[in-house]
Amino acid sequence: MTRRIMVVDDDALIRETLVAHFRDGGIDVSEAASAEQALATVGRAAPDVVITDVRMGGMDGLTLLRTIKERLPDVMVLVMTAFEDMRTAIGAMKAGAHEYLVKPLDLDQIDLVVERCFRERALARRAGALAEQAAEPYALDQLVGRDPRMIEIYKTIGAAARTRAPVLIRGETGTGKEVIARAVHFNSDDAREPFVAVNCTAVPEALLESELFGHVRGAFTGAVGDRKGRFELAGAGTIFLDEIGDTTPAFQAKLLRVLQERTFTPVGAEQTRRTEARVIAATHRPLEQLMREGRFREDLYFRLRVVEIVLPTLRERRGDIGLLADHLLRKASAEMHRAPARLTPGALQRLIAYDWPGNVRELENALTRALVMVPASLIGENDLLLGAAVRPSSASEEAPEDRTMNAVERHHVERVLRECHYNKRQTCRVLGVSRPRLDRLLEKHGIVVTDRDHQQ
């Protein structure tokens, strides 16, 4: 990519020296003898960096700096002057200068500063591109649903995205709470900052504090070095705390302090650290009941509930099932590198009639399984595996006599493995679990997948 600099100085000798120096380094250089001339040509020249003198006839360099930052905020401006005084330096930096240089100029120093500017510009471009890619699935116009309750949620997402206020998202398991959290983050001004998600139930209680706040070496057995926590990794972005209702009151007290004071202390550390992360929390638990039972702090509840989003269940918005099914089928088809599949009218009616205890997540899993098992582009009513409506296809599929949760879980995992031809990746899609989670389930139940299984 071409690197461009504009040099602005009414001293012709300095201007010519810098232009020749940068061109020798393979940089595309434009020049201006005044601030007015620079403003007339900066848009066309499209520089990455502008180097300008402060004291010039007519408009001065600080006014030029402010004007450029208003028009082209991504352009980095370096200010140079022969007058080394604190007032000029402070004025330049407050106006948005990237660096302050003092004449007589050291070309080696300028090269270092300019190279750093180019690197930062390149990183910013890449970060912007990644942010756009990450934000795309969560753009407001891509959230699926026309139910009036969803329309109100979209409005709330837009309002929340304009602030850094804490957000509390409530809804049954599978309603898409993390999708909403990502929509808030990626539609905010901080979309380029990290989005860090933590499932509070997936981390053992004894390690949750370390996971979120980090720890120092020797803080506990096994802490062989310092480790940054999720709050520190989130930076000025968003930390998403899923299933916050399942945390203990002791942990809730520590989280409350973070929200109140914007500081936290890594486990075993003496010094506190500051956080700028916005907190979005989610839960499927009835928090009001938990507060009455003394299992959830009331003060934390009100701290988190500055903006509240309550997601409807899928059975409460059956009119959206067709839209969701079409969206999820296109998404899953693309991931499997196959032509988009469609539902027959009978299959769609069956989806609409079903109660969906697992909500959107269950719908996605059912459609993904159908795609895995049905090679045709049309999915019929009998191709859908929905909850208790499923009947075993053979004697070997009969439910186990042992009806304990452990036995039922093993039976279900084994059946899905067979249906997916022992393809672990497809099995994960159907079960709605991660690959590490599937491996733990296989180990737990003593299920061994061999090369022979894959060939059957």
Side-chain angles (χ1 to χ4, degrees):
M1 181 177 291
T2 302
R3 304 191 298 177
R4 297 185 176 92
I5 287 180
M6 173 177 279
V7 177
V8 186
D9 199 315
D10 58 0
D11 186 320
L13 180 60
I14 291 177
R15 196 169 66 250
E16 291 169 4
T17 300
L18 289 176
V19 168
H21 176 73
F22 290 131
R23 282 180 179 159
D24 287 344
I27 297 173
D28 186 349
V29 189
S30 56
E31 57 181 300
S34 66
E36 291 82 359
Q37 183 183 353
L39 289 177
T41 59
V42 68
R44 185 169 61 255
D48 299 294
V49 179
V50 171
I51 302 178
T52 181
D53 192 14
V54 170
R55 299 202 176 188
M56 297 181 289
M59 182 187 295
D60 63 40
L62 294 186
T63 304
L64 171 64
L65 163 64
R66 296 186 187 95
T67 307
I68 288 176
K69 296 305 288 185
E70 289 174 1
R71 295 184 186 179
L72 304 166
D74 292 336
V75 174
M76 293 184 171
V77 181
L78 307 179
V79 171
M80 55 184 178
T81 179
F83 302 91
E84 186 177 6
D85 66 272
M86 188 58 66
R87 179 176 298 176
T88 303
I90 292 174
M93 302 310 286
K94 287 178 66 176
H98 189 74
E99 189 61 82
Y100 175 78
L101 305 172
V102 179
K103 295 180 179 178
L105 300 173
D106 182 331
L107 292 179
D108 289 337
Q109 180 192 12
I110 291 179
D111 284 343
L112 290 173
V113 173
V114 167
E115 186 61 33
R116 187 167 67 243
C117 288
F118 284 137
R119 283 201 306 270
E120 291 181 16
R121 285 276 288 173
L123 287 171
R125 287 192 185 101
R126 285 199 293 271
L130 289 172
E132 288 176 7
Q133 293 170 12
E136 188 175 350
Y138 305 100
L140 292 180
D141 58 358
Q142 292 195 26
L143 291 174
V144 180
R146 296 175 184 168
D147 185 275
R149 282 162 291 199
M150 294 304 297
I151 300 300
E152 290 303 312
I153 286 172
Y154 302 156
K155 293 178 183 178
T156 304
I157 290 172
R162 293 194 295 270
T163 75
R164 290 187 57 81
V167 180
L168 178 61
I169 304 173
R170 305 176 67 174
E172 287 187 6
T173 298
T175 48
K177 295 185 286 293
E178 184 170 342
V179 173
I180 299 298
R182 288 180 179 272
V184 173
H185 173 77
F186 286 113
N187 285 280
S188 73
D189 291 338
D190 303 304
R192 293 185 178 183
E193 298 292 334
F195 177 92
V196 178
V198 181
N199 186 329
C200 296
T201 60
V203 182
E205 181 183 338
L207 298 178
L208 185 57
E209 185 179 352
S210 171
E211 183 72 16
L212 291 179
F213 306 139
H215 62 253
V216 298
R217 180 180 180 182
F220 49 81
T221 302
V224 296
D226 293 356
R227 183 177 184 273
K228 292 182 178 180
R230 298 299 184 93
F231 268 96
E232 193 166 354
L233 294 174
T238 297
I239 183 163
F240 173 59
L241 302 178
D242 198 8
E243 302 302 352
I244 191 69
D246 292 318
T247 58
T248 64
F251 170 78
Q252 293 163 21
K254 294 172 182 175
L255 179 60
L256 178 64
R257 179 182 176 184
V258 176
L259 291 170
Q260 289 175 330
E261 302 179 14
R262 309 302 303 172
T263 61
F264 64 92
T265 305
V267 178
E270 296 180 357
Q271 299 295 322
T272 61
R273 298 180 187 177
R274 187 158 186 82
T275 178
E276 300 298 330
R278 181 233 282 270
V279 173
I280 300 180
T283 183
H284 72 285
R285 299 286 189 187
L287 295 184
E288 291 79 5
Q289 179 180 335
L290 294 181
M291 286 188 288
R292 288 193 295 270
E293 296 171 354
R295 296 162 57 194
F296 197 85
R297 294 180 63 104
E298 185 175 357
D299 44 7
L300 177 60
Y301 171 74
F302 288 112
R303 277 282 180 180
L304 292 172
R305 193 174 168 256
V306 177
V307 178
E308 184 178 44
I309 298 176
V310 180
L311 297 180
T313 63
L314 189 52
R315 58 188 171 276
E316 291 174 326
R317 54 181 187 116
R318 295 180 189 273
D320 284 342
I321 289 177
L323 288 171
L324 278 164
D326 182 64
H327 170 76
L328 294 171
L329 279 173
R330 282 187 282 108
K331 174 185 171 185
S333 296
E335 291 175 352
M336 295 181 190
H337 305 290
R338 56 177 285 183
R342 294 181 296 108
L343 295 168
T344 65
L348 178 58
Q349 287 305 312
R350 188 175 178 205
L351 294 182
I352 293 173
Y354 183 59
D355 274 343
W356 299 110
N359 293 291
V360 179
R361 184 180 301 152
E362 185 182 2
L363 173 62
E364 182 173 15
N365 292 341
L367 294 172
T368 301
R369 181 200 175 277
L371 281 175
V372 169
M373 303 306 298
V374 180
S377 61
L378 201 60
I379 295 175
E381 182 177 355
N382 294 329
D383 298 323
L384 297 169
L385 189 68
L386 304 181
V390 180
R391 283 197 284 269
S393 59
S394 69
S396 64
E397 296 285 336
E398 294 293 341
E401 293 183 6
D402 183 351
R403 296 302 182 93
T404 64
M405 285 298 298
N406 197 58
V408 171
E409 182 181 67
R410 176 192 171 98
H411 174 76
H412 182 59
V413 172
E414 286 182 320
R415 185 177 67 180
V416 174
L417 263 172
R418 284 194 299 273
E419 291 174 347
C420 293
H421 307 290
Y422 296 93
N423 183 304
K424 288 186 177 181
R425 184 175 181 181
Q426 292 179 350
T427 301
C428 287
R429 291 181 188 275
V430 175
L431 291 175
V433 299
S434 65
R435 179 60 179 271
R437 171 65 175 155
L438 175 62
D439 289 338
R440 288 196 295 271
L441 285 170
L442 298 179
E443 182 180 359
K444 172 184 175 182
H445 296 296
I447 302 172
V448 178
V449 179
T450 65
D451 291 339
R452 182 184 176 189
D453 291 324
H454 287 286
Q455 295 168 5
Q456 289 178 351

